[in-house]
Amino acid sequence: MSTILLSEISPFSAFLMSFTDGSTLSTQIFFLIFGFLLFLASFLVPAFFAINYLDRKICGDIQMRIGPNLAGPHGIFQGVADFIKSFEKIRTESQATSGGFFFVTISMAIAFLVFAAINVPVSSQWLYSNVDLSALFVVVALVVSRLFLFWSAYKTANAWSTVSAFNMLSVIGYFLVPLTLALVSPALLVGSLDLQNIALAQGGMPWEWMVFNGPGSFFSFASFAVALFIWHGRAPSNLFFESTSVKSEVISEFEGRRYFVLKQIEVFSLFLAAALIVTVYLGAWRAPFSLESFGRAANIVEACIFFTKTMFVTFVMIWFRWSMPSARLKQISNLSWYLLLPAGFAGVAITLLWLAVSRGEGVRWWL
Amino acid sequence: MESFEINVGPTPATTSGPLHLRVQTDGHRVVQAKIEAGYLHRGMEKVAERMTWLSCQPYMGRIDYVSAIHCEHAYALAVEKLCGFEIPERSKAIRVVVSELSRIASHLLSIAWLARTTNASTAVMFALRDREKICDLFEILCGARLTYNYVRIGGVSNDFTEGFVDKTIEFIDYIVPKLQEYHQLLTNNVFFIGRLAGVGVVSASQAIAAGLSGPNLRASGVKLDKRKQEDYEIYRKIDFSTPLGATSADSFRGAVQGDAFNRYFVRIQEIEQSAVIIRQVLANVPEGKYALTLPRVFKVPAGEIYVSVESPRGTQGIFIRSTGEKYPDRLRLRTPSFPVLNILPAVLESSTLEDMGPLVASFDYLPSEVDR
């Protein structure tokens, strides 16, 4: 009875607890916390360091530079080195950024990103949080995270930060509608807005992925991918994380380790965007072969499949970022209103027609 | 959103040096822009009055350090004209080669700054990489990479060094096809065109009234090139064209004459023309001496003269008055970036905060030659 309760809160913790015999309340609470820490340690931290490294190395390759090459073999520990270095920085706190207010807002901005991340299913059992409508929850958590970031930038009273913060709000506003609209097609096809259910409704082979499930899905996929790409705040939409241009960033008033932590939001968002695209449209963790013989180890195979796909999408995003200049806010808003919004509506309309014709069986029915 | 006064600079990302803009904004829109120049003032013109004619020469490279050759060249030409010297043909050819190499380097740096303001960081790296090759060439030629002190009164400091000509031809063969990379990354990039097209439009009459010259003026459709207009060195004998930016035949959506995109496009076209010039000159370098021998105590006859050359940024003019002494009595520079300050506040006032970076960078404004 009590184990069932834990699996409703957190399938990943329940999965961990199934290795032991205990099922008391204290064991459950222990596994709830342990599961969370393990999830962070096994899923988010390696992904974060991997993307941090890949971003620099791929950027170096594109720009015909060497890139990081000193910390560890081929510089793979550069992210770790930067993390340690950030603690060495002298804390020169300005009047604008002192006080507990910023600790709260920054912590909340990061906490909501983590809330979003723990809702992404890595494998059949490897899902920390079991919230209903998790696809919508992730979108809302991302928005709330950015709102806290906006708040802290606005409170610093730096003119550049304020302008960048309003840019950030604008971009979120422009792309919120196309993004949620792009979730309607999967919801119609699967009958659920739960990320794990969406993952389970897809197959391992590419033609079983959501993106090929009917002609409407492709429009929705394009809309979803572009909106998330713009939302995570790198070129061409780096209107709020923009250290190299004349404009500065939302976080330009923060220094040392706070700057380092806030700067990682950009990397974190990149990873989340890629993970969401993979989960909703590109087959999630589904393996193209049978995993029955693997037993519980099947989770590891599924997680590897998920990470491979996510890293590929991340690579495409990194590639795009280093080949593109940044766009103007007007160009970004035009992209949303004139291209993504019609594409989103077209996706929903075509999916509805498709469902009416094919009774929701997609390409498989047609074949 | 309330109105802000935002300080851009004194060391903004838009220029390679200090330029302070006080910008009054209304939301995204720039309402008023006040310019504060002078952070790099070194009193060059006054310093020159305390120097002998020959020791004045190295200071000239410091006025426009991005293309040091041109200011040195203007000074040398002015003194030679005042003295009535006829310099050897070989030194004229050498001066043209180094001038054009320097022009390519300067335009590459300008493109790098412009790309940086639009966050196209890959293009920045590519432009700096290619500019480094020119710095290497100058190092082979005269040992210096930035301020050369190579063009001297009566010629140049030394002849072509071993391997310089071959390596220069090698570089020209490399850079001309390489421009395709810039076209792929920037010129034909939808986002890049979108950022620059129609931004900071300066009409031909405005440009002339403000005193713009060089690529900034030619981008507005005025065909003024000192290399063609003034008869200096051997430019009259060389076959090259003066680009005026994108014509109606090119399909750069939204680009109009005199906008930031055309100022960029003129520069990238000029790189090609400079390559054409270098190729022609190196194919036929006259034999002979590379410089005149000057007396140990060098005096310039009394008189005054104004000479101008075409620098990468425009007309680099120099006025010299001599009283027949060992020192210049007065030395005054007409630098091409200075007139940009005439037009900049007016152009900025109709722009937005996000256009401000590319807009200022598109003028290739160099504070060092304005403040001097």
Side-chain angles (χ1 to χ4, degrees):
Chain A
M1 179 68 192
S2 49
T3 315
I4 294 165
L5 186 69
L6 185 62
S7 69
E8 277 181 6
I9 299 170
S10 165
F12 183 54
S13 300
F15 172 68
L16 290 176
M17 206 171 78
S18 68
F19 286 94
T20 63
D21 299 333
S23 61
T24 58
L25 189 64
S26 57
T27 327
Q28 286 188 27
I29 291 170
F30 169 75
F31 273 104
L32 204 59
I33 297 165
F34 176 65
F36 180 70
L37 294 177
L38 192 68
F39 192 83
L40 286 185
S42 62
F43 167 54
L44 297 179
V45 174
F48 156 68
F49 280 116
I51 291 175
N52 224 326
Y53 172 71
L54 278 180
D55 190 17
R56 292 162 190 220
K57 204 70 182 172
I58 293 167
C59 162
D61 279 352
I62 289 174
Q63 299 183 349
M64 297 189 184
R65 298 184 286 111
I66 297 168
N69 65 338
L70 288 175
H74 300 284
I76 54 168
F77 297 125
Q78 188 61 48
V80 184
D82 285 350
F83 180 68
I84 295 165
K85 264 191 289 181
S86 77
F87 283 91
E88 286 179 358
K89 302 242 190 248
I90 300 167
R91 199 165 173 196
T92 51
E93 203 169 60
S94 68
Q95 209 178 358
T97 59
S98 62
F101 174 82
F102 293 99
F103 178 76
V104 174
T105 48
I106 291 167
S107 307
M108 292 306 272
I110 293 163
F112 271 92
L113 274 182
V114 176
F115 289 160
I118 58 177
N119 278 289
V120 178
V122 181
S123 76
S124 50
Q125 304 287 329
W126 203 340
L127 165 68
Y128 183 75
S129 168
N130 201 15
V131 177
D132 282 346
L133 301 177
S134 55
L136 271 187
F137 180 85
V138 169
V139 172
V140 172
L142 285 173
V143 174
V144 175
S145 163
R146 286 289 154 90
L147 285 180
F148 275 110
L149 200 60
F150 166 80
W151 199 2
S152 63
Y154 187 71
K155 193 79 172 20
T156 57
N158 178 322
W160 283 120
S161 289
T162 310
V163 170
S164 299
F166 276 102
N167 277 342
M168 183 170 71
L169 271 198
S170 317
V171 170
I172 286 173
Y174 295 149
F175 287 90
L176 192 57
V177 181
L179 193 67
T180 36
L181 210 56
L183 284 172
V184 174
S185 298
L188 287 170
L189 288 164
V190 179
S192 166
L193 264 175
D194 203 294
L195 285 175
Q196 187 69 303
N197 286 346
I198 292 173
L200 286 166
Q202 301 176 67
M205 290 298 177
W207 54 87
E208 293 167 336
W209 293 354
M210 186 62 74
V211 57
F212 300 118
N213 194 344
S217 286
F218 190 78
F219 287 97
S220 293
F221 165 71
S223 178
F224 189 72
V226 174
L228 270 178
F229 181 73
I230 300 290
W231 230 15
H232 83 285
R234 291 155 66 91
S237 75
N238 45 357
L239 299 154
F240 37 97
F241 286 122
E242 186 166 287
S243 52
T244 53
S245 174
V246 62
K247 294 195 295 294
S248 196
E249 310 167 279
V250 275
I251 54 173
S252 56
E253 276 289 328
F254 300 102
E255 81 308 309
R257 91 199 62 144
R258 281 199 289 181
Y259 182 85
F260 177 81
V261 170
L262 283 169
K263 194 71 185 160
Q264 304 317 321
I265 290 180
E266 194 186 329
V267 178
F268 210 101
S269 311
L270 173 66
F271 177 70
L272 259 181
L276 275 179
I277 291 169
V278 168
T279 307
V280 179
Y281 281 100
L282 300 179
W285 44 264
R286 296 303 297 259
F289 42 83
S290 172
L291 293 173
E292 277 175 15
S293 57
F294 285 86
R296 277 168 172 171
N299 277 300
I300 295 173
V301 180
E302 287 166 351
C304 288
I305 290 166
F306 175 78
F307 273 109
T308 315
K309 284 181 190 170
T310 306
M311 283 298 164
F312 178 73
V313 175
T314 311
F315 167 71
V316 173
M317 286 178 157
I318 291 171
W319 182 17
F320 200 79
R321 185 260 173 277
W322 294 113
S323 333
M324 283 285 155
S326 63
R328 200 184 288 149
L329 189 63
K330 182 80 178 162
Q331 288 170 300
I332 297 287
S333 72
N334 283 353
L335 180 71
S336 167
W337 300 129
Y338 295 130
L339 207 68
L340 295 196
L341 207 61
F345 277 118
V348 174
I350 295 170
T351 306
L352 281 171
L353 274 175
W354 175 251
L355 278 171
V357 174
S358 75
R359 296 175 196 173
E361 300 222 324
V363 179
R364 277 162 287 166
W365 170 83
W366 186 70
L367 287 170
Chain B
M1 214 159 128
E2 62 183 294
S3 179
F4 285 124
E5 193 188 80
I6 297 181
N7 280 303
V8 182
T11 49
T14 51
T15 53
S16 71
L19 168 71
H20 190 175
L21 297 170
R22 286 181 193 279
V23 182
Q24 196 74 39
T25 62
D26 177 19
H28 260 266
R29 208 152 282 287
V30 175
V31 179
Q32 195 185 26
K34 288 180 191 161
I35 296 173
E36 288 187 17
Y39 282 88
L40 260 183
H41 179 62
R42 292 149 292 172
M44 287 290 195
E45 288 163 352
K46 200 70 189 165
V47 165
E49 291 172 19
R50 302 294 177 98
M51 295 295 202
T52 64
W53 290 103
L54 295 181
S55 60
C56 198
Q57 183 81 64
Y59 283 86
M60 292 300 130
R62 270 75 176 170
I63 285 160
D64 174 358
Y65 56 82
V66 175
S67 58
I69 289 290
H70 292 92
C71 209
E72 291 171 5
H73 195 173
Y75 175 75
L77 271 181
V79 176
E80 282 156 13
K81 277 202 175 170
L82 213 48
C83 296
F85 290 157
E86 185 55 43
I87 65 163
E89 284 296 309
R90 185 175 176 82
S91 68
K92 286 183 181 176
I94 296 175
R95 281 179 178 188
V96 170
V97 171
V98 291
S99 288
E100 295 309 313
L101 270 180
S102 192
R103 191 184 312 281
I104 296 176
S106 173
H107 283 343
L108 283 174
L109 194 67
S110 152
I111 290 165
W113 284 112
L114 182 60
R116 204 179 96 156
T117 54
T118 60
N119 244 317
S121 44
T122 303
V124 179
M125 290 295 162
F126 283 18
L128 291 180
R129 175 197 63 193
D130 293 342
R131 181 175 172 272
E132 277 300 297
K133 291 185 191 294
I134 300 176
C135 293
D136 291 343
L137 286 176
F138 273 109
E139 199 174 359
I140 296 171
L141 184 65
C142 61
R145 293 174 69 87
L146 197 66
T147 47
Y148 314 109
N149 191 20
Y150 180 67
V151 177
R152 304 272 177 90
I153 300 165
V156 290
S157 72
N158 57 280
D159 205 348
F160 284 143
T161 45
E162 198 184 332
F164 175 81
V165 175
D166 296 339
K167 287 207 165 116
T168 307
I169 290 170
E170 207 176 284
F171 171 75
I172 296 300
D173 290 342
Y174 159 86
I175 190 75
V176 174
K178 212 69 180 169
L179 289 177
Q180 280 308 317
E181 251 176 31
Y182 293 93
H183 291 319
Q184 282 170 7
L185 269 171
L186 298 174
T187 317
N188 296 319
N189 188 315
V190 180
F191 284 110
F192 189 74
I193 300 172
R195 280 304 289 275
L196 297 185
V199 169
V201 181
V202 180
S203 68
S205 56
Q206 273 178 318
I208 293 168
L212 291 185
S213 55
N216 292 341
L217 181 65
R218 291 197 281 273
S220 297
V222 184
K223 201 166 189 171
L224 182 93
D225 189 339
K226 289 282 167 187
R227 292 174 292 181
K228 298 242 181 202
Q229 201 187 35
E230 308 258 323
D231 186 17
Y232 73 97
E233 311 303 10
I234 52 167
Y235 279 115
R236 279 279 168 88
K237 297 177 192 166
I238 303 165
D239 180 28
F240 67 100
S241 65
T242 307
L244 291 175
T247 56
S248 52
D250 304 317
S251 57
F252 298 114
R253 204 169 42 172
V256 291
Q257 206 167 54
D259 66 354
F261 181 80
N262 265 305
R263 284 192 282 277
Y264 153 80
F265 198 57
V266 164
R267 289 197 170 87
I268 206 145
Q269 286 176 317
E270 279 192 9
I271 293 177
E272 274 177 59
Q273 290 306 315
S274 291
V276 168
I277 295 171
I278 295 172
R279 243 192 251 281
Q280 284 181 42
V281 177
L282 284 181
N284 189 19
V285 182
E287 292 298 321
K289 284 168 69 177
Y290 61 85
L292 299 174
T293 314
L294 298 181
R296 189 169 285 273
V297 180
F298 181 65
K299 287 183 182 175
V300 173
E304 53 183 49
I305 196 162
Y306 173 79
V307 168
S308 60
V309 298
E310 183 72 21
S311 99
R313 267 162 285 282
T315 305
Q316 174 71 61
I318 189 162
F319 168 81
I320 289 176
R321 189 171 66 218
S322 170
T323 50
E325 289 297 319
K326 287 193 286 183
Y327 315 98
D329 185 50
R330 178 80 174 100
L331 187 147
R332 177 89 172 97
L333 292 153
R334 186 257 181 237
T335 51
S337 282
F338 195 83
V340 173
L341 294 183
N342 294 335
I343 199 100
L344 208 51
V347 173
L348 277 174
E349 270 161 32
S350 55
S351 77
T352 59
L353 271 181
E354 45 198 351
D355 288 341
M356 206 165 61
L359 204 162
V360 177
S362 74
F363 282 104
D364 194 9
Y365 173 85
L366 188 70
S368 133
E369 63 174 35
V370 175
D371 302 344
R372 52 180 186 272

